[in-house]
């Protein structure tokens, strides 16, 4: 049986202290020599890349975000694998365009910024974004969802509709390509709700299921974060609920979402007020990391059938 233990490795060294003030989001990408950590901040407004390979951390490059683009909301990062190479999307910035940074190599990791525009959608209203292939599911700050389809420098936006969808802004979105079908998920912390969609190549989203507290009680209370993942050909979505301190796993089946497991924070875990969630695959096993307000994280593995097995809390 594979065993994993997470240990503190030390702080990430920064070349500019103002580039580490008010970290809004983190994203890992695979570089030529190993993993690269990208951060974005709203303190002075920077996107910064660090090389994590080797024994330490090396500052690769930084890009100054124009102060006119900064908004109070945090910047949400995603990477688009376009035909012209990978592009870092910075959702949540002001302006008419969705800011994109082509990713290079070495000390010139960030090149000149570009902008994507879509007819009928003010790109500055995007607050959450998840990319899969050349499509993205975007949550809008004022409420509503949109599917973005990228074709070269062109972007088409198609609004997501559904009579049962909450009218508030999504707290998190995720996408998953499973067996050639693209699925989208959105959580709504204010409405204790979770929605699932299928997304066609033309950007049309079909609502598959909506679940809320009336269906499940505490499993979706203050749903703040979610991750979508596939195990043994079965799509799952994992939700962190801040109000109840719950981690819940849902299987997406032909008749909609089905709850397969739920774990409440306890003295043996460290995800009270659960608001942060990540998943990773290692040697064929799926791992889940959750955190909240308890000065630590909890590590789980996702078992067949959609069951969470707690491995270790890390203070």
């Amino acid at each position: 049986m594979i065993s994993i233990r997470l240990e503190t490795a030390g702080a990430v060294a920064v070349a500019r202290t103002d580039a580490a003030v008010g970290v809004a989001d983190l994203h890992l990408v695979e570089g030529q020599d190993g993993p690269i950590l990208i951060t974005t901040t709203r303190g002075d407004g920077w996107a910064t890349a660090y090389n994590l390979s080797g024994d330490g951390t090396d500052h690769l490059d930084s890009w100054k975000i124009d102060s006119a683009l900064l908004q109070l909301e945090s910047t949400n990062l995603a990477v688009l694998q376009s035909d012209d190479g990978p592009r870092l999307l910075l959702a949540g910035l002001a302006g008419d365009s969705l800011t994109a940074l082509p990713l290079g190599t070495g000390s010139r990791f960030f090149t000149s910024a570009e902008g994507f525009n879509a007819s009928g959608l003010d790109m500055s209203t995007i607050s959450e974004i998840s990319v899969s292939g050349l499509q993205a599911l975007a949550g809008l700050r004022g409420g509503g969802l949109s599917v973005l389809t990228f074709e070269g420098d062109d972007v088409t936006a198609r609004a997501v509709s559904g009579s049962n969808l909450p009218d508030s802004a999504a707290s998190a979105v995720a996408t998953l390509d499973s067996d050639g079908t693209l699925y989208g998920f959105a959580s709504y912390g204010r409405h204790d709700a979770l929605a699932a969609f299928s997304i066609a190549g033309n950007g049309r989203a079909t609502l598959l299921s909506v679940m809320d507290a009336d269906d499940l009680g505490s499993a979706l209370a203050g749903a703040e974060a979610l991750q979508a993942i596939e195990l043994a050909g079965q799509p799952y979505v994992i939700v962190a609920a801040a109000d109840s301190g719950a981690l819940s796993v849902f299987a997406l089946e032909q008749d909609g979402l089905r709850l397969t497991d739920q774990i409440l924070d306890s003295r043996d875990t460290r995800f009270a007020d659960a608001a942060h969630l990540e998943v990773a695959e290692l040697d064929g096993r799926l791992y889940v990391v959750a955190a909240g307000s308890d000065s630590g994280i909890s590590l789980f593995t996702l078992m067949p059938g959609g069951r969470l097995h707690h491995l270790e809390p890390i203070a």
Side-chain angles (χ1 to χ4, degrees), residues 66-205:
D66 191 317
S67 59
L69 297 178
L70 292 174
Q71 302 193 86
L72 292 177
E73 292 77 7
S74 63
T75 307
N76 192 229
L77 301 178
V79 173
L80 172 71
Q81 298 291 346
S82 68
D83 293 338
D84 296 326
R87 281 162 167 72
L88 180 71
L89 304 181
L90 293 89
L93 297 182
D96 297 332
S97 301
L98 174 60
T99 302
L101 286 175
L103 301 183
T105 58
S107 61
R108 287 288 295 165
F109 190 71
F110 296 128
T111 57
S112 300
E114 302 173 348
F116 286 108
N117 293 286
S119 177
L121 177 64
D122 180 355
M123 296 295 226
S124 69
T125 64
I126 298 175
S127 59
E128 301 287 335
I129 191 168
S130 176
V131 177
S132 183
L134 295 178
Q135 290 186 295
L137 178 63
L140 309 183
R141 187 172 297 109
L145 301 167
S146 184
V147 175
L148 306 180
T149 303
F150 296 85
E151 297 179 3
D153 296 330
D154 297 326
V155 184
T156 58
R158 189 160 186 166
V160 177
S161 60
S163 58
N164 296 328
L165 284 177
D167 57 6
S168 67
S171 52
V173 296
T175 52
L176 175 68
D177 191 324
S178 177
D179 195 25
T181 299
L182 181 61
Y183 296 103
F185 304 90
S187 61
Y188 297 86
R190 288 182 55 191
H191 291 268
D192 304 338
L194 172 66
F197 317 84
S198 63
I199 300 174
N202 62 359
R204 179 181 178 84

Side-chain angles (χ1 to χ4, degrees), residues 235-266:
Y236 292 97
V237 59
I238 306 169
V239 180
D243 291 350
S244 59
L247 291 182
S248 301
V249 183
F250 298 84
L252 180 60
E253 300 175 336
Q254 288 186 345
D255 56 352
L257 293 165
R258 177 177 63 86
L259 181 67
T260 60
D261 199 10
Q262 179 181 347
I263 295 180
L264 295 175
D265 179 59
S266 68

